[in-house]
Amino acid sequence: MDSAMFIGTWWSLVPPLLAIVLALVTKEVYSSLFIGVAFGALLYTGFQPWEAFNAFFSIMKDSMNLNILIFDVLLGMIIVLMAKSGGSAAYGNWAGKHIKSKKSALLATTGLGVLIFVDDYFNCLTVGSVMRPVTDRFKVSRAKLAYIIDATAAPICIIAPVSSWAAAVNSYVPADAGITGFQLFLRTIPYNLYALLTLAMVLYVSISGFDFGLMRKHEINAANGDLFTSGAGEFEQIKQEEGSSRGHVLDLVLPVAVLIVSAIGAMIYTGFLDGATDIITAFAGCNAEISLIFATSVTILFMLVLYLPRKVVTFKGFMDSFVEGFRLMIPAVAILIFAWSLKGVGDALGIASFVESVVGSNTSASVFIPAIMFLVAIFLAFSTGTSWGTFAILVPIVIAMFPGADNIEMMIIAVSAVLAGAVCGDHVSPISDTTVMSSAGAQSNHINHVSTQMQYAMVVAIVCFVGYLIAGIVKTWWLSLGVSLILLLIVLTVMKRWTEAKYGKVADSEKA
């Protein structure tokens, strides 16, 4: 069979969609991803078994990002060391004295997620390891914790000028676009409705205590002592880790501070090494992956000096934490490798050229382009599990649609819609790396996180679609954002009143 008939056609969407459907139906992500990659390899080779076998492993090898895997393992080691030193337990005890309610615990988690804006991977795993003991104390379900982590990771990074995401978006803007990449990124921030409304929704559900859909079930179970609902077995060994009784809050706070400062410093330094002349261009041109590896390495050395002289961790325990951190990250690493392989299969099958041909022939009315591009970006990011890949495919297309100075505002709105849709699609995709990292950070069953977050994300996405229709007409950021925010608050309030009228509050379920 000729493989050319599958390349650059709608068949390129079948492997990721197959993996996603299987993951949601079977609740088992590893086999689903494997089948998706295997079927993609068969399409790519025209259903020739031996060539498909070779292509499977060749694509997997070429698609892996070793830097991210090294960073994950080192960050896993840091998380284990924080627990061994007693820092995590000490912080939990400290928070128990200062954080007096579930609402405060949720808001503290949200606040920490907002503060760690440098990189989404770093955000997901750090916020999870720091806040998990606190949210456990107040019976916050692991699915709810994973949602807050995920909702304050990518949405913060995509509106933070000083982040690895800003650097990525800058790199996708052509030199002849009529505007620099950094200027474009700054002007997309108030139009990035999904990121801003997601943060508003996190605050709403944290303050009001409102949960709906599957998340409500998880919160009721957590109130009755079951934080996981399902999949707790994955984390039993991790839960049994006991920390030193000599641990202090600073054993957790200082390493996190060193990690943040080292990451920012390394990003600035690598940017200047690449020819930057100021801090802004340094962040735009930094090597985020190497910077994060450097930051984790510095933090581990700092923890060695901080812990060993005080004997809160033995030297053997310190070295054993490398293997234990690796073990902690194995589920996340396995999913990441398969997810990257699935993206590699999509690239080999020409998914980018297919999407470009479809988008280019179906966006004639410029007023509706932002809303259309929002939906296209959601679908592409959902199917491929990558925001950055979606940026790379769609941003140049959108910029080309609006040439000239007269169309700058519409170009900005449409690019914002792509960025927002990519983050939304990434949020609801079970094969997304940031979704995987959020599950790992919260130590939540991955499918539980995906299925609960999807319902929350879709509420915001529907409001955003209306917002981008408005933005395409009025071309004014404050009006489109204001109307979208008011609409979201109205929708959530109506849903809250209807849910509580029909089922009662979660607090009532605790007493039952």
Side-chain angles (χ1 to χ4, degrees), residues 4-29:
M5 65 183 292
F6 303 116
I7 297 176
T9 68
W10 66 270
W11 280 100
S12 61
L13 296 173
V14 174
L17 290 179
L18 176 63
I20 289 165
V21 170
L22 287 174
L24 294 176
V25 171
T26 65
K27 310 294 184 186
E28 206 291 308
V29 70

Side-chain angles (χ1 to χ4, degrees), residues 213-440:
L214 291 174
M215 187 72 81
R216 188 173 186 278
K217 174 186 175 183
H218 281 263
E219 284 295 281
I220 291 172
N221 290 343
N224 292 318
D226 181 5
L227 298 176
F228 296 89
T229 298
S230 63
E234 304 173 46
F235 309 104
E236 283 179 352
Q237 185 173 359
I238 299 167
K239 288 167 63 182
Q240 293 169 357
E241 180 72 56
E242 292 185 2
S244 169
S245 59
R246 302 176 184 176
H248 191 274
V249 172
L250 290 178
D251 290 322
L252 183 142
V253 173
L254 289 179
V256 170
V258 169
L259 194 57
I260 294 173
V261 172
S262 300
I264 294 175
M267 286 180 177
I268 294 173
Y269 181 72
T270 56
F272 276 107
L273 282 181
D274 202 36
T277 56
D278 53 60
I279 290 179
I280 292 175
T281 54
F283 273 106
C286 73
N287 189 327
E289 295 170 5
I290 295 299
S291 298
L292 292 172
I293 293 174
F294 173 80
T296 49
S297 301
V298 168
T299 303
I300 289 171
L301 291 176
F302 174 79
M303 295 171 92
L304 179 70
V305 175
L306 181 65
Y307 294 163
L308 260 60
R310 295 163 48 228
K311 298 181 179 179
V312 295
V313 176
T314 65
F315 181 75
K316 183 179 187 304
F318 190 94
M319 299 312 299
D320 287 346
S321 66
F322 176 78
V323 176
E324 293 168 21
F326 204 150
R327 189 182 301 124
L328 173 66
M329 291 291 110
I330 282 175
V333 166
I335 296 176
L336 280 175
I337 290 173
F338 278 128
W340 288 333
S341 301
L342 196 58
K343 180 186 179 298
V345 165
D347 292 340
L349 289 171
I351 193 171
S353 59
F354 171 70
V355 171
E356 183 174 358
S357 66
V358 172
V359 171
S361 61
N362 287 279
T363 55
S364 55
S366 62
V367 169
F368 302 109
I369 285 180
I372 294 171
M373 294 308 300
F374 178 66
L375 296 179
V376 171
I378 289 176
F379 179 72
L380 185 57
F382 177 79
S383 301
T384 60
T386 170
S387 297
W388 289 23
T390 303
F391 301 157
I393 293 169
L394 295 183
V395 168
I397 296 173
V398 169
I399 290 174
M401 289 179 181
F402 298 99
D406 295 339
N407 295 316
I408 285 289
E409 195 68 20
M410 275 301 296
M411 180 186 75
I412 290 167
I413 296 170
V415 170
S416 302
V418 167
L419 302 184
V423 172
C424 179
D426 183 88
H427 261 183
V428 298
S429 175
I431 61 174
S432 158
D433 46 7
T434 50
T435 307
V436 173
M437 289 293 99
S438 298
S439 300

